[in-house]
Amino acid sequence: MSLLTRSLQALGLPLLCALLWWLPAGTAQAAVSCTATMTNLAFGTVELVNGATAAPTIATLNYNCTNDSTSAIEQVRVCFNIGDGNEGLGNFNPRVMENTAGNQLRFQLYQATSGTIWGSNGNAQVPNPFVVTMSIPRRTTAGGLGRVTGSTTMRGELLPLQGAVPPGSYQDNFVGDHTSITLSRSTSAMPTTCDTIQPGRFAFLVTATVAKSCLVTADPLNFGTVNGLPGQADRDQTSTINVTCTTPTPYTVALTPSNGSTTGAGTMTPTGGVPGNADAVPYRLYRNAARTAIWGSVTGTGGNVATGTGNGAAQALTLYGRVLGTSANVRPDSYRDVVTVSVTY
């Protein structure tokens, strides 16, 4: 039983509606034949969490058409048809790759550098096969076949905004009936259709590996204007750290002030506005609003880092900061520190 038949049963669709393409019945023309090969199309390892996509990838079709007639030059129109692939399951626009768990990665195939999707005769979704017209010389008196060869490229592109696709290896195998060559021939005018099925195929494989990855951004933690007189209360402010990781990637977020503290205890120093100022403003970083769970860089049992599991979307983590009231009685100036945000996954 072919994959196409299994797909039809699973979808419960009428056979007529699910055909990859419609090809008129016809007998092979003995005088002219065409064969072709297609190289595999490999996207390699891609990272998708930033909403972008991989660079376009190219495969090459090489074709060879021959004429064994000794009496006439043949005018030939050849169509190279591409369907949905073994893992495509009826998806043409976009096409899909799958991993072993059934997760899907969307992509599309185009003709060379154009925006024309490479499809097949009679397919309503992608109706454009790659078409070549040629005049094939007659067979020579020495017995050599008339021949025309050529090549073209197929461009593959991953669709953007697939950050939720789980890491792993994906493929779509265009084997068997998922490719075909059809042609029409004439000894006078160039044909306008491709009606006769050729026995050859041009099988190829589309592959990609989605990498486990994370992306992090952080807003500044700005305490604003702090009263520098002695006996002032603690000054609290918050910030947001956004973490985007592939599904379902566990991650930890560690914070390290410039003094190297592993417990989120940093010190802001003057920015140079007041010459000779050597005062400092201590602060603390926390994971909760009550400011009882410190946010530092210690991992493992008893650690003080934030944790989460990626879902392909940005996850907002609130950072709770505090300038300690005991830091009052410092000289008026602007103070700052740099905190390193480290994501481990």
Side-chain angles (χ1 to χ4, degrees):
M1 180 180 293
S2 68
L3 178 61
L4 177 58
T5 303
R6 293 199 300 272
S7 299
L8 292 170
Q9 290 175 344
L11 294 172
L13 298 177
L15 177 61
L16 182 60
C17 294
L19 288 174
L20 294 181
W21 54 77
W22 176 82
L23 296 174
T27 59
Q29 299 289 339
V32 173
S33 64
C34 289
T35 60
T37 60
M38 179 80 82
T39 60
N40 292 331
L41 193 149
F43 288 97
T45 300
V46 297
E47 295 188 1
L48 303 178
V49 295
N50 62 354
T53 187
T57 302
I58 300 299
T60 301
L61 176 81
N62 292 290
Y63 57 85
N64 176 40
C65 296
T66 59
N67 177 14
D68 67 2
S69 171
T70 59
S71 61
I73 297 173
E74 294 283 353
Q75 308 299 318
V76 181
R77 182 184 184 90
V78 187
C79 294
F80 299 92
N81 303 281
I82 297 177
D84 59 343
N86 275 352
E87 290 73 26
L89 302 177
N91 292 282
F92 297 95
N93 191 15
R95 292 174 163 107
V96 299
M97 289 178 268
E98 282 194 344
N99 65 3
T100 55
N103 297 303
Q104 295 185 340
L105 180 63
R106 302 187 303 278
F107 72 101
Q108 193 51 275
L109 302 174
Y110 298 91
Q111 298 182 24
T113 58
S114 73
T116 301
I117 297 174
W118 194 325
S120 56
N121 284 328
N123 188 319
Q125 294 187 56
V126 286
N128 299 305
F130 174 68
V131 178
V132 180
T133 56
M134 61 186 74
S135 296
I136 308 180
R138 63 176 63 89
R139 185 185 185 100
T140 66
T141 55
L145 295 176
R147 188 182 306 275
V148 171
T149 62
S151 65
T152 190
T153 57
M154 178 180 70
R155 186 178 85 257
E157 294 186 4
L158 293 181
L159 271 63
L161 304 179
Q162 297 193 79
V165 174
S169 299
Y170 292 77
Q171 73 167 36
D172 194 9
N173 193 1
F174 290 79
V175 68
D177 291 340
H178 295 291
T179 68
S180 73
I181 305 170
T182 56
L183 64 80
S184 292
R185 51 169 290 277
S186 172
T187 56
S188 55
M190 182 64 68
T192 58
T193 60
C194 301
D195 295 337
T196 302
I197 301 175
Q198 296 292 284
R201 309 285 181 176
F202 50 100
F204 62 94
L205 186 65
V206 180
T207 59
T209 299
V210 177
K212 182 186 296 186
S213 58
C214 289
L215 177 71
V216 61
T217 62
D219 297 331
L221 177 58
N222 188 349
F223 289 100
T225 300
V226 178
N227 194 326
L229 294 175
Q232 298 302 305
D234 294 338
R235 180 61 176 261
D236 293 341
Q237 288 293 343
T238 62
S239 179
T240 301
I241 296 173
N242 291 293
V243 181
T244 308
C245 291
T246 46
T247 307
T249 302
Y251 63 84
T252 63
V253 182
L255 302 183
T256 307
S258 64
N259 62 5
S261 169
T262 61
T263 60
T267 302
M268 289 181 281
T269 55
T271 60
V274 177
N277 181 14
D279 291 346
V281 179
Y283 65 91
R284 298 290 187 272
L285 303 175
Y286 301 91
R287 289 170 286 152
N288 63 337
R291 289 165 172 78
T292 56
I294 62 175
W295 194 339
S297 57
V298 179
T299 60
T301 304
N304 55 22
V305 296
T307 62
T309 301
N311 62 4
Q315 297 176 329
L317 307 178
T318 301
L319 168 61
Y320 300 89
R322 169 170 288 175
V323 168
L324 305 178
T326 56
S327 67
N329 201 22
V330 297
R331 275 175 280 194
D333 202 344
S334 294
Y335 297 82
R336 71 189 295 268
D337 192 27
V338 176
V339 177
T340 299
V341 182
S342 303
V343 178
T344 303
Y345 54 92

